[in-house]
Amino acid sequence: MTKAKRMMQENLKLIDLIIELVDARVPIASRNPDIDELGKGKARIVLLNKSDLADPGSNQAWMRYFEERGIYALEVNSKSGFGIKSINGLVQKACAEKIERDRKRGILNRPVRAMVVGIPNVGKSTFINAFAGKACTKTGNKPGVTKGKQWIRLNKTLELLDTPGILWPKFEDNLVGMHLAFIGSMNDEIILMEELACDLLETLRKLYPEAVAKRYGISWEKDPDSRGMAGILEEIARGRKCFLKGESLDLKKAADLLVDDFRSGRLGRMTLERPQMSERAGRENKVELTPAKAGKGCNNE
Ligand code: G4P
């Protein structure tokens, strides 16, 4: 077992509630399903973070998806604070059983203890800052089992472990890696940007064709078979005047521009994964795009 997983297990012993952050644009690729096994018996909340960058209709659909699986879910924007105020109510609901158990045992006012978990870059630190704010106080070391741990007391009913649990994405499926690269959760230095841009174009052609066509003034229909996504990227480069010396196109610059427009939300609010994927795909963290399969990239064979 990895050190990170062991540490996660140790921390899980101390808490009642897991607050799992996922990226609302790719809620499956940005999860590690191991948390379902690791967190058995704990109350659960999933937060669709960066919901400001995702499709509002899909945010609703994903909340229903998690709730149907017994996990309370909420869309949030940790940067602006949207949705943060609703979390306390959700914590009470998610931990109702524990609170009732405590009450029956005569234990009153014992705060719920929670830990934030998620893959790198999903927004854990931003969320903790937004949720805990300035009003909170760090409670310092607690005696006994919690020795060495810092807890943030949010209010009388909730304490948060101050360091989030880091989950690693599962790359068993190529689409997972691709989706994480699209949102910027992989090291861009090891990615061929032109290829990533072509994969993104192929994906968006199926999901949000009008938004891309409108922003760059391109046409998907013109001779799509021979030109493929590389041809579309060239069209974007031409339209945005991405030239190297002379007349040749700077495709790297056009690729950077497209990917950055997507990541920042300038292309519009977009969700790349939909809950209609098969149960099996969900269990195995495999991602299926709807309505069609994933793109093939620049070659477009
Ligand atoms: P981590 O601890 O899980 O690794 O993630 P972290 O909080 O560092 O956030 C990663 C990036 O995601 C940051 O951007 C942060 O501002 C952004 N972010 C977090 N939550 C949201 C959200 O709800 N909506 C949007 N749009 N962005 C969010 P950055 O570019 O790395 O830093 P910065 O330039 O914003 O400071």
Side-chain angles (χ1 to χ4, degrees):
M1 193 189 297
T2 62
K3 194 176 164 219
K5 202 164 172 180
R6 233 185 359 258
M7 216 153 100
M8 175 80 74
Q9 274 186 330
E10 285 304 306
N11 285 336
L12 284 170
K13 284 184 197 155
L14 310 175
I15 58 144
D16 313 296
L17 168 73
I18 298 172
I19 300 176
E20 181 190 357
L21 261 67
V22 300
D23 189 305
R25 295 165 295 175
V26 289
I28 294 299
S30 60
R31 292 192 80 206
N32 182 328
D34 288 351
I35 195 66
D36 290 334
E37 189 57 38
L38 283 167
K40 259 198 182 138
K42 303 285 173 189
R44 304 276 301 274
I45 291 178
V46 164
L47 297 179
L48 296 166
N49 194 40
K50 308 197 185 184
S51 64
D52 53 307
L53 300 174
D55 195 323
S58 297
N59 288 342
Q60 294 296 323
W62 277 110
M63 284 197 286
R64 279 196 302 277
Y65 170 91
F66 285 110
E67 276 159 16
E68 278 161 14
R69 283 151 187 81
I71 300 175
Y72 289 93
L74 192 69
E75 55 176 317
V76 297
N77 172 353
S78 297
K79 247 178 142 172
S80 74
F82 169 80
I84 302 285
K85 277 197 185 127
S86 310
I87 296 174
N88 280 322
L90 210 62
V91 168
Q92 296 302 308
K93 274 195 208 164
C95 296
E97 261 183 44
K98 173 220 164 335
I99 294 166
E100 182 56 19
R101 223 172 28 241
D102 279 358
R103 198 186 60 80
K104 279 189 179 148
R105 287 191 200 140
I107 306 167
L108 294 176
N109 305 326
R110 187 165 79 180
V112 166
R113 288 205 167 149
M115 175 165 72
V116 173
V117 306
I119 65 165
N121 205 42
V122 75
K124 297 178 296 298
S125 314
T126 313
F127 168 73
I128 291 175
N129 282 339
F131 191 36
K134 290 192 186 77
C136 70
T137 50
K138 288 203 173 171
T139 58
N141 293 348
K142 297 260 167 169
V145 286
T146 60
K147 196 164 187 289
K149 301 281 171 202
Q150 286 272 347
W151 295 88
I152 303 169
R153 174 169 282 234
L154 285 124
N155 52 49
K156 275 188 203 142
T157 58
L158 184 61
E159 285 185 358
L160 200 64
L161 199 59
D162 83 334
T163 41
I166 297 171
L167 296 169
W168 298 100
K170 276 212 159 173
F171 292 109
E172 279 161 12
D173 190 294
N174 283 344
L175 263 182
V176 169
M178 200 164 88
H179 284 184
L180 292 173
F182 289 161
I183 62 165
S185 284
M186 305 255 282
N187 184 356
D188 278 349
E189 280 163 26
I190 58 161
I191 291 170
L192 214 59
M193 236 26 195
E194 289 94 316
E195 261 183 31
L196 187 72
C198 287
D199 287 339
L200 182 60
L201 282 171
E202 185 70 49
T203 304
L204 297 180
R205 182 167 72 97
K206 285 158 185 150
L207 298 171
Y208 300 99
E210 293 89 7
V212 181
K214 195 168 160 218
R215 181 160 180 90
Y216 303 113
I218 54 131
S219 161
W220 295 107
E221 303 309 327
K222 262 195 268 162
D223 194 15
D225 293 336
S226 66
R227 289 156 19 103
M229 292 307 113
I232 300 284
L233 189 62
E234 282 172 17
E235 210 177 317
I236 293 174
R238 228 171 276 117
R240 290 304 170 105
K241 308 215 176 340
C242 303
F243 292 110
L244 294 164
K245 272 196 191 124
E247 291 288 285
S248 54
L249 293 170
D250 189 344
L251 293 180
K252 166 78 169 63
K253 193 171 171 191
D256 284 344
L257 186 133
L258 170 80
V259 171
D260 198 51
D261 279 353
F262 167 74
R263 287 179 183 168
S264 63
R266 281 192 294 272
L267 254 178
R269 297 177 65 170
M270 295 175 170
T271 302
L272 304 183
E273 296 166 4
R274 306 287 164 82
Q276 296 97 312
M277 54 199 223
S278 70
E279 264 296 291
R280 187 172 155 270
R283 271 202 308 279
E284 295 174 7
N285 204 31
K286 288 191 171 154
V287 184
E288 282 175 8
L289 287 177
T290 48
K293 281 202 322 195
K296 284 185 188 138
C298 277
N299 301 334
N300 219 37
E301 324 91 86

